[in-house]
Amino acid sequence: MSSSSNYYKLHCLILKTITYPETFLLNNLISTYHKLGNFAYAHSVFDHIPQPNLFSWNAILSIYLKLGRLSQMQQIFDLMPFRDGASWNLAISGYANYGSGNDAIGVYKLMLKDAAMNLNQITFSTMLILCSNCRWMDLGRQIHGQILKFGFGSYVFVGSPLLDMYAKLRLIYDAKRYYDEMPERNVVMCNTMIVGVMRCGMVEESKRLFHGLKERDSISWTTMISGLMQNGMEREVVDMFREIRLAGFTMDRFTFGSVLTACGSLLALGEGKQIHAYVLRTDHKDNVFVGSALIDMYAKCKSI
C-alpha cells in the first residue's frame, strides 16, 4: 500500500474520531499533502481549520508559490492576519522565481515600509539574485546600502550573492572592495570572487586570491581551471590539473573537459592520453561532455 493511501486513511480516521482536531494536527496534514503533491487536499484541510495559525498560512502560501499560481499566492498573502519573515520571503521569491521581478520589488518595498523587523538573510539574498539576473545595477547598489543599514553586511550568506551580482554586472572593483572589507569569508565567497575576476580577465588577481585561500574545495580548483582555459592559458590548465591530482581533490566533468580541451589546443597528445587513462578510472568515463572533449582532443592531435 502506498504512503499516500495510508495518509488518506489516517485523515479519514481523524475526521471520524476527533470532533475538533487541533490546529497543530491539521498543519501536519497540510505539510504531508504538500510533500505528496496533493495540493487540493492540502487546501481542503486549510479551509477546515477554524483558527489557522501562522504556520497554516505560510504552508498554503508555499503551495501556491510551488504551483506558480501567483495571483492566488497574492490573495492568500493579502488575507493573512499576521506575517513573519517567512511569509514575506515566500511572496518575494514566488514573484522572483516566476519572472515577475517588478512585483517582487513591490513586495520588498512594502516589507521595508511595514515590516522591516522581519528582514533577514534570505530576503536580501533573494533580492540580490533577482538584481543579478535582471541586471539591475542601481537597485542592486540600493539593496547593498540597505544590507549595511540593517546590519547584514558581515553575513556570508548575503555576501556571496552580493559579490556574484557585482561580478555579473562587471562592477568588479565594487566586488573587490566589499570582499576586502569582509571580516570573515568562507570558501563559497572566495570561489565567487575568483569567478568574478576571471570573468573580467583579471587572471593574476584570480591567482592571488586562489593561492591566498586558507581552504580550497573541488569548486575552487575547477573554477581556476575553467577560468584559465577561458583566458587562453592552456599550459597552466594542464599544470594545475597535475596539482589537483596531487592534492587528492575530486574532479568533475568540467575539470576534465577543460584540461582535455587544453591538451587539444597544445597538441599535447601524450598528456591527453594520460588524462584519458585517468578518466577511465573515474565515474566520468561514460559522460557525454567528457567524451566529446576526448574526441575533440584526439581530432586536434590528428589521432583518430
Side-chain angles (χ1 to χ4, degrees):
M1 185 179 294
S2 68
S3 59
S4 57
S5 297
N6 287 331
Y7 280 117
Y8 297 147
K9 286 188 173 183
L10 177 61
H11 188 182
C12 291
L13 183 63
I14 290 170
L15 294 176
K16 287 179 181 178
T17 58
I18 305 176
T19 306
Y20 301 108
E22 293 182 11
T23 301
F24 173 80
L25 181 59
L26 296 175
N27 284 344
N28 276 286
L29 279 171
I30 293 174
S31 296
T32 300
Y33 283 132
H34 188 175
K35 290 174 184 175
L36 293 172
N38 195 325
F39 304 121
Y41 269 69
H43 202 151
S44 176
V45 174
F46 175 80
D47 286 339
H48 287 86
I49 300 178
Q51 293 181 314
N53 59 20
L54 188 54
F55 184 95
S56 316
W57 285 101
N58 283 342
I60 208 69
L61 191 68
S62 177
I63 285 174
Y64 283 119
L65 183 158
K66 191 170 184 177
L67 291 171
R69 296 179 182 174
L70 302 185
S71 60
Q72 289 164 298
M73 180 191 77
Q74 185 65 53
Q75 287 173 10
I76 293 293
F77 185 77
D78 291 339
L79 287 170
M80 294 179 75
F82 31 77
R83 306 177 184 122
D84 62 0
S87 317
W88 290 95
N89 290 336
L90 283 167
I92 291 170
S93 62
Y95 283 125
N97 292 342
Y98 285 93
S100 297
N102 289 325
D103 290 315
I105 293 171
V107 177
Y108 174 73
K109 287 181 176 178
L110 187 62
M111 187 179 185
L112 282 175
K113 176 177 172 288
D114 295 341
M117 76 291 293
N118 288 319
L119 290 164
N120 56 35
Q121 297 179 63
I122 295 173
T123 314
F124 289 120
S125 177
T126 303
M127 289 304 299
L128 289 168
I129 292 169
L130 176 64
C131 291
S132 179
N133 291 339
C134 296
R135 307 191 67 80
W136 289 336
M137 180 179 67
D138 292 338
L139 179 61
R141 281 181 161 152
Q142 288 176 36
I143 291 171
H144 186 181
Q146 289 153 2
I147 287 168
L148 298 177
K149 175 183 175 182
F150 289 101
F152 289 91
S154 62
Y155 287 71
V156 292
F157 187 81
V158 175
S160 289
L162 180 58
L163 286 174
D164 186 62
M165 180 198 72
Y166 278 136
K168 284 181 177 175
L169 294 175
R170 302 283 175 170
L171 300 169
I172 199 62
Y173 291 104
D174 292 83
K176 282 179 86 289
R177 188 182 309 113
Y178 176 70
Y179 181 84
D180 291 338
E181 291 172 354
M182 281 291 289
E184 180 186 349
R185 309 178 194 112
N186 64 7
V187 69
V188 176
M189 285 190 68
C190 297
N191 291 342
T192 302
M193 192 66 213
I194 291 171
V195 170
V197 294
M198 275 292 194
R199 193 180 286 135
C200 294
M202 301 168 68
V203 177
E204 293 306 314
E205 177 63 16
S206 69
K207 290 180 185 177
R208 183 188 71 78
L209 290 167
F210 178 77
H211 291 298
L213 290 178
K214 293 180 181 178
E215 62 171 315
R216 297 168 186 160
D217 60 10
S218 298
I219 296 173
S220 311
W221 290 95
T222 299
T223 297
M224 282 300 296
I225 289 254
S226 300
L228 290 170
M229 190 64 216
Q230 289 164 11
N231 284 278
M233 307 183 78
E234 290 87 354
R235 174 45 59 188
E236 293 197 39
V237 169
V238 177
D239 292 341
M240 183 160 280
F241 179 80
R242 292 198 189 97
E243 289 185 52
I244 299 176
R245 290 189 62 181
L246 289 172
F249 280 93
T250 302
M251 286 170 269
D252 62 15
R253 60 195 178 104
F254 299 108
T255 312
F256 286 120
S258 293
V259 72
L260 287 167
T261 301
C263 289
S265 299
L266 294 167
L267 304 181
L269 179 60
E271 289 169 306
K273 284 183 174 180
Q274 290 176 23
I275 294 165
H276 187 182
Y278 183 71
V279 168
L280 293 175
R281 300 195 298 273
T282 71
D283 294 334
H284 299 288
K285 60 181 180 293
D286 297 320
N287 183 271
V288 175
F289 183 82
V290 176
S292 297
L294 275 166
I295 292 170
D296 184 66
M297 183 273 294
Y298 280 122
K300 285 180 178 175
C301 293
K302 302 189 185 310
S303 179
I304 304 299

